[in-house]
Amino acid sequence: MTKRSVAVAALAGLTVLAAPAVASAEALTTALSGSSASGSRTFSFRGMNLRIPASWKVHRKGDEVVVTTGACKRPDAFAANCRSFWVLGPKEFTDVPVGGGSFTYTGKYQWYPFSAPVPCPFDSTTAWNPGDKAGSRGLFQIGKGHKAKYAAWPNECVTNNGGRRTKSFTAREWFLPSSKILIIDVWNTPGLSKVLKGATWS
């Protein structure tokens, strides 16, 4: 997996996207309520422990983790037709090559892969057009004693020649600069915010 770049401003004209995911309501409710040990599992990354539904699958590739929450043809960040969210470590967003220099994610700009064009996550025949202005920002509690920088970025799916918008979606980002963790969700994953709030740390 190549490193990713967040420098949307340096990537003008590149595009990609995603749509809401449909998770099993029963599995999600069971996992988050704690009523059954078999209904959930713990996913750990850089000291952050997330209790997730057993139906969600964790795919690790170095400093990149793709947690699939539904149908997925290829578990990879920015892969088309893969309902998932992504958890990244510092190797994926620190000193990423951009042009003749490098870029480190801070949350000022949306995280976006350096290579392009990137297919829209729910339609591989279209491309992701990243927004350059966050729709909302703030702090988000991820377990006791840890607050993430949160941003929601409006994005579009456009035809590959950039001539027509086919869909719109929001990319949600949670960034923990001290823990060096970046979480990205373009599928509006049901229950993910609650999972993150319930995180424990070790």
Side-chain angles (χ1 to χ4, degrees):
M1 174 60 60
T2 59
K3 289 186 177 181
R4 312 284 183 177
S5 171
V6 69
V8 172
L11 298 174
L14 304 184
T15 52
V16 194
L17 178 71
V22 178
S24 166
E26 181 180 354
L28 187 62
T29 300
T30 299
L32 301 183
S33 67
S35 60
S36 170
S38 63
S40 65
R41 57 194 299 214
T42 299
F43 157 52
S44 299
F45 185 80
R46 299 185 61 83
M48 178 183 68
N49 308 300
L50 301 179
R51 193 167 174 208
I52 61 175
S55 60
W56 293 5
K57 305 302 179 185
V58 177
H59 307 268
R60 297 176 184 264
K61 187 184 296 184
D63 235 15
E64 173 187 286
V65 178
V66 176
V67 181
T68 56
T69 61
C72 180
K73 292 186 176 180
R74 179 170 62 91
D76 190 9
F78 283 93
N81 304 309
C82 182
R83 294 183 179 275
S84 61
F85 64 92
W86 317 318
V87 183
L88 308 178
K91 291 181 181 178
E92 289 293 322
F93 57 78
T94 303
D95 293 328
V96 180
V98 177
S102 64
F103 197 91
T104 295
Y105 178 88
T106 62
K108 183 177 181 180
Y109 300 107
Q110 181 178 184
W111 183 84
Y112 189 80
F114 180 65
S115 59
V118 179
C120 173
F122 48 84
D123 182 359
S124 60
T125 65
T126 60
W128 182 335
N129 185 23
D132 58 3
K133 185 176 181 181
S136 61
R137 291 182 182 272
L139 295 177
F140 186 95
Q141 196 77 36
I142 298 186
K144 186 176 181 180
H146 291 74
K147 287 187 177 181
K149 295 180 179 179
Y150 172 79
W153 299 87
N155 290 267
E156 297 178 336
C157 281
V158 299
T159 53
N160 286 320
N161 62 8
R164 182 171 60 87
R165 178 177 66 85
T166 61
K167 295 182 184 295
S168 60
F169 73 104
T170 299
R172 301 187 295 171
E173 297 178 346
W174 296 264
F175 180 47
L176 294 146
S178 297
S179 302
K180 294 181 171 57
I181 298 173
L182 175 61
I183 302 162
I184 303 166
D185 178 34
V186 298
W187 287 90
N188 193 28
T189 302
L192 178 56
S193 294
K194 190 170 183 179
V195 167
L196 296 178
K197 287 180 181 178
T200 60
W201 294 85
S202 56

